[in-house]
Amino acid sequence: MADDLKEQKPAGKGVALIDGVLKEVKNLKDKALDDVQSLKKPQKTQLFKSIFRVTHDEKPRNRALGILSNVFLHLHPAKINRDAVAYNYTWGMGGITFYLFIVLTFTGVLLMFYYHPTKVQAFRDILYLEHDVPFGKLLRNMHRWAAHLMIITVWLHMFRVFLTGSYKKPREFNWMVGVILMLLTMLLSFTGYLLPDDQLGFWAVTVGTNMARATPLLGHEGPLGPELGMTAFNDVRFALLGGSIVDSNALLRAYIWHCIAIPLIAGIFMAVHFWRVRKDGGISGPAPVMLESEIKKPRRF
Amino acid sequence: MDWVQLWEITTLPDNVPIVLLILVIPFYTWYGLRQAFANDRLIDRLEADPEMAKTHHRKTQPWKPGWAREVQVWPYLLRMEFLVAIIVTFILMVWSITLDAPLEEPANPSLTMNPAKAPWYFLGLQEMLVYFDPWMAGVVLPTLILVGLMVIPYMDTNPLGNGYYTYKQRKFAIWAFFFGFIVLWLSMVVIGTFIRGPGWIWFWPGQTWDHNKLIFEANRDLPDMFGITSMLGKSLFGGAVVGLFALVTALGVHKLFTWNAFNRKIYNRMSLIQYVLLQFFLVTMMLLPAKMVARLIFRIKYVWVTPWFNI
Ligand code: HEM
């Protein structure tokens, strides 16, 4: 007995071990197969579900959820006027303007890596960008032309909004927000103009800020300015330039307005603008035409 | 004709966007008005046929009963946005590869650029400097332009044309906007770009810029032409002329604004404040063309001279 046992035990132990290992291997193989299977259906993985929260199949409900549960896309409603998706109503101008703003932010941040807002370095940095930085010239060109294009598209957007009467009730306020956005867009371009610190920017900004001398009440050459104690060293122009001439302080101020303050303010106004487009009932049209005979009496107080 | 110089101005990198603007504005004006006229024809038909007005879906776009009035944003809107983003990126890439951003000599306060021009989108303001003193052209008028734009929704009491293109139902509004935006603003930008040369002197397109040209313009003030010499006399006389101008313009605006029965109906909907605001902004807007004529044709510098300000 003792011998039998002695002989069998190691063998039994060995077989059981191998069996166990085989079982474990099969188990692992099954799991691996499962993983491979899951690669074929990525939408079923925990990773995918945790990121997207809804499956992306073609059910209307899931298409809607795909928009609503995404932080970037939820600016959109889930559904929209069937005629508003055609290009001819909005000309896509608001969207293009916003897209250009994003392009400008992106290229602008890249430019900031190479640019120092000082009289000694600014102009050299531009030369360096143009001649040594890989794709530096393309970067600068894209930033420049996107800025010009944005001015054009913002004007066209306003033109479209006017032609479709989209500023009428209930969108009056959003039109005002828009006018401020247009002003900010132009100020962004203008402050950027000085940054290369070349003759073009210097004289443009000199001409532009010279007008500020003549601000009524607040400029030292404006009507009633001197009477209020304005001099070249305390008026609005001085505040804009950080001095009485366009020099290093003006460069620094233009830089900070251009790269930080105005983009931030414009970003906030854009958030309000888009929010209000939604809250005012989405895009205004194309709406059914109204007839003269259907005008209601105006409400009087 | 100095074609070379005209070509040089046109192809100045920073001026290329204006060339784009000159092409794109007429295109979109046409594109918008075409839809406006199509809607106007529909409106005519609906007004002629009340039965049809009850059942018609009232758009020029096709529609059949049973069609959903709304479509899903994904994919119908998002794919358009994506496509547009690709096209814009492509255009921007090609533009940036083919045309370099300008870079002049380093800034040099002792070397004046002549002409020293603002970026093209501000040339409207710079051109206004010819006609008004800096406090008007550079501060007051730009502020009024912005405020004037902002109050448009509150002055326009016409409830028609909300959310669709139309010309017929909004003639006055559309003409006023076209006049301000295209005739005044954009043409000033074009004048500033293509016509103003060294010393901000008027050179016709194709006329060679002469850097030594000096014009001894015999610009006079209106009161001087009438032989008024005392400051008090000038102030009173100028004020009277400007007041008269405002009155006549306001009457003209009123005439246009109440041109037909429909316009009078809209006029009757306006509150006093709305009407006064409208008149104020339109009369102020007309100051510019009036002063342009006075300056360019009659060589008048100031109309109203006072010890504190001149207009
Ligand atoms: C940075 C500038 C701006 C951006 C990024 C922007 C963006 C947009 C976008 C994406 C829309 C949705 C519809 C469309 O694409 O047309 C929109 C609508 C609108 N925008 Fe702007 N916009 C800007 C400036 C302006 C300006 C200058 C105005 C007018 C003075 C304006 C007035 C409006 C109004 C009233 C709507 C609602 C239109 C409707 O419901 O049909 N926006 N904007």
Side-chain angles (χ1 to χ4, degrees):
Chain A
M1 267 278 286
D3 279 357
D4 278 14
L5 270 179
K6 249 187 192 168
E7 273 184 25
Q8 279 176 3
K9 238 186 188 169
K13 238 187 188 172
V15 171
L17 196 71
I18 290 170
D19 275 355
V21 170
L22 282 178
K23 218 168 163 185
E24 208 42 47
V25 167
K26 186 171 178 317
N27 210 356
L28 285 177
K29 195 178 130 198
D30 285 348
K31 284 191 178 177
L33 276 177
D34 273 355
D35 284 345
V36 173
Q37 284 297 322
S38 77
L39 282 184
K40 290 190 189 154
K41 282 201 179 119
Q43 302 202 358
K44 294 269 190 287
T45 58
Q46 185 184 5
L47 181 66
F48 186 95
K49 284 190 201 160
S50 72
I51 297 175
F52 295 104
R53 299 187 68 238
V54 288
T55 54
H56 282 186
D57 46 22
E58 305 216 331
K59 280 184 255 151
R61 180 183 134 80
N62 283 349
R63 283 181 165 175
L65 283 176
I67 298 287
L68 298 179
S69 61
N70 182 304
V71 66
F72 303 107
L73 299 181
H74 93 280
L75 281 173
H76 297 92
K79 284 185 161 190
I80 186 174
N81 180 346
R82 71 173 300 125
D83 301 314
V85 295
Y87 180 77
N88 62 10
Y89 183 68
T90 66
W91 310 343
M93 279 305 156
I96 294 175
T97 309
F98 183 54
Y99 179 65
L100 287 171
F101 182 74
I102 294 172
V103 170
L104 283 162
T105 310
F106 184 73
T107 52
V109 168
L110 292 181
L111 286 173
M112 282 172 81
F113 282 121
Y114 297 96
Y115 179 85
H116 306 74
T118 64
K119 281 303 255 191
V120 180
Q121 299 217 46
F123 187 77
R124 291 181 201 181
D125 287 338
I126 305 295
L127 290 181
Y128 181 59
L129 263 165
E130 293 215 324
H131 301 290
D132 294 301
V133 177
F135 298 110
K137 198 170 205 165
L138 184 66
L139 196 62
R140 174 161 185 252
N141 289 351
M142 274 190 82
H143 195 72
R144 181 89 164 200
W145 302 138
H148 284 253
L149 203 57
M150 187 171 165
I151 303 252
I152 296 180
T153 58
V154 104
W155 289 359
L156 283 176
H157 174 55
M158 182 177 77
F159 190 37
R160 185 292 285 181
V161 171
F162 188 87
L163 284 183
T164 57
S166 301
Y167 57 81
K168 298 185 180 195
K169 236 180 233 173
R171 296 181 180 78
E172 304 100 318
F173 179 72
N174 217 15
W175 168 273
M176 288 211 282
V177 174
V179 175
I180 291 172
L181 277 171
M182 180 178 71
L183 171 68
L184 291 172
T185 308
M186 292 174 72
L187 288 180
L188 269 174
S189 278
F190 189 65
T191 48
Y193 223 67
L194 182 66
L195 298 184
D197 197 27
D198 65 344
Q199 282 284 69
L200 205 58
F202 177 84
W203 287 104
V205 171
T206 303
V207 170
T209 50
N210 270 347
M211 293 189 203
R213 289 172 201 257
T215 314
L217 308 179
L218 295 177
H220 72 280
E221 287 173 6
L224 301 178
E227 283 83 347
L228 287 177
M230 289 298 155
T231 68
F233 304 99
N234 65 3
D235 66 351
V236 271
R237 180 165 170 277
F238 191 90
L240 290 175
L241 296 178
S244 57
I245 49 166
V246 180
D247 203 20
S248 54
N249 282 353
L251 192 59
L252 185 61
R253 288 194 183 195
Y255 177 75
I256 293 171
W257 281 113
H258 183 77
C259 301
I260 302 171
I262 307 181
L264 212 67
I265 300 171
I268 293 171
F269 273 91
M270 279 185 213
V272 175
H273 195 60
F274 300 155
W275 172 258
R276 283 303 294 250
V277 170
R278 289 292 305 280
K279 292 291 139 181
D280 294 337
I283 206 74
S284 58
V289 300
M290 225 175 112
L291 304 184
E292 200 187 319
S293 54
E294 294 160 348
I295 298 182
K296 291 198 194 73
K297 275 224 151 66
R299 235 183 286 158
R300 298 243 180 233
F301 289 99
Chain B
M1 272 307 259
D2 189 346
W3 292 106
V4 177
Q5 180 190 269
L6 189 61
W7 177 250
E8 274 169 1
I9 298 176
T10 312
T11 54
L12 214 64
D14 267 358
N15 285 351
V16 168
I18 316 181
V19 178
L20 184 68
L21 190 73
I22 293 175
L23 295 174
V24 131
I25 292 284
F27 170 76
Y28 279 105
T29 308
W30 167 80
Y31 196 48
L33 283 182
R34 195 178 66 134
Q35 296 179 66
F37 293 144
N39 279 334
D40 289 350
R41 284 193 294 275
L42 177 66
I43 291 167
D44 284 342
R45 273 169 54 209
L46 294 180
E47 274 173 346
D49 185 352
E51 273 315 302
M52 183 179 166
K54 273 185 204 144
T55 52
H56 197 273
H57 71 284
R58 296 193 170 199
K59 293 189 195 182
T60 44
Q61 284 87 354
W63 195 72
K64 288 205 183 98
W67 281 9
R69 283 181 190 276
E70 295 197 314
V71 293
Q72 295 222 272
V73 161
W74 168 256
Y76 298 102
L77 179 62
L78 285 185
R79 70 178 178 194
M80 277 293 281
E81 293 180 346
F82 192 55
L83 191 67
V84 169
I86 292 174
I87 293 171
V88 172
T89 313
F90 179 77
I91 293 173
L92 208 54
M93 273 286 179
V94 172
W95 189 355
S96 305
I97 291 170
T98 51
L99 191 70
D100 283 338
L103 186 68
E104 301 273 332
E105 303 283 299
N108 185 350
S110 54
L111 191 70
T112 318
M113 289 253 282
N114 191 7
K117 288 194 182 184
W120 58 267
Y121 40 83
F122 281 126
L123 283 186
L125 299 183
Q126 206 178 344
E127 175 66 13
M128 286 204 293
L129 279 172
V130 176
Y131 313 106
F132 294 102
D133 277 355
W135 66 274
M136 272 289 271
V139 187
V140 174
L141 291 180
T143 310
L144 286 181
I145 292 173
L146 289 173
V147 177
L149 281 172
M150 285 201 217
V151 296
I152 286 178
Y154 303 96
M155 299 187 306
D156 185 351
T157 52
N158 180 356
L160 300 184
N162 184 349
Y164 53 93
Y165 291 93
T166 172
Y167 167 70
K168 177 182 134 104
Q169 294 181 331
R170 297 176 59 210
K171 280 186 191 156
F172 186 86
I174 287 185
W175 276 111
F177 195 78
F178 273 24
F179 188 77
F181 181 57
I182 296 182
V183 178
L184 291 183
W185 182 251
L186 292 182
S187 69
M188 301 270 283
V189 170
V190 170
I191 291 176
T193 312
F194 292 104
I195 291 186
R196 294 298 178 176
W200 213 256
I201 289 172
W202 188 287
F203 289 92
W204 291 104
Q207 191 183 349
T208 309
W209 283 8
D210 177 359
H211 282 264
N212 298 316
K213 183 165 177 175
L214 283 175
I215 295 186
F216 297 100
E217 281 183 330
N219 282 330
R220 8 177 217 185
D221 297 342
L222 191 64
D224 296 336
M225 295 166 70
F226 287 83
I228 300 170
T229 46
S230 79
M231 209 23 140
L232 183 69
K234 285 183 180 184
S235 304
L236 291 178
F237 175 75
V241 172
V242 172
L244 192 70
F245 166 79
L247 194 70
V248 171
T249 314
L251 284 176
V253 168
H254 185 84
K255 187 86 200 141
L256 286 177
F257 196 66
T258 53
W259 189 260
N260 57 28
F262 175 69
N263 282 6
R264 281 190 291 275
K265 199 155 143 187
I266 301 304
Y267 169 68
N268 281 330
R269 295 169 66 86
M270 290 182 101
S271 73
L272 188 62
I273 298 179
Q274 284 172 323
Y275 184 69
V276 170
L277 267 182
L278 180 81
Q279 281 286 10
F280 172 72
F281 282 108
L282 287 177
V283 169
T284 313
M285 182 163 96
M286 294 312 291
L287 267 182
L288 180 62
K291 199 68 202 291
M292 285 174 86
V293 171
R295 179 60 189 263
L296 294 177
I297 297 177
F298 297 107
R299 301 244 163 270
I300 293 169
K301 187 162 167 61
Y302 295 125
V303 172
W304 189 2
V305 183
T306 76
W308 309 280
F309 64 85
N310 304 315
I311 288 177

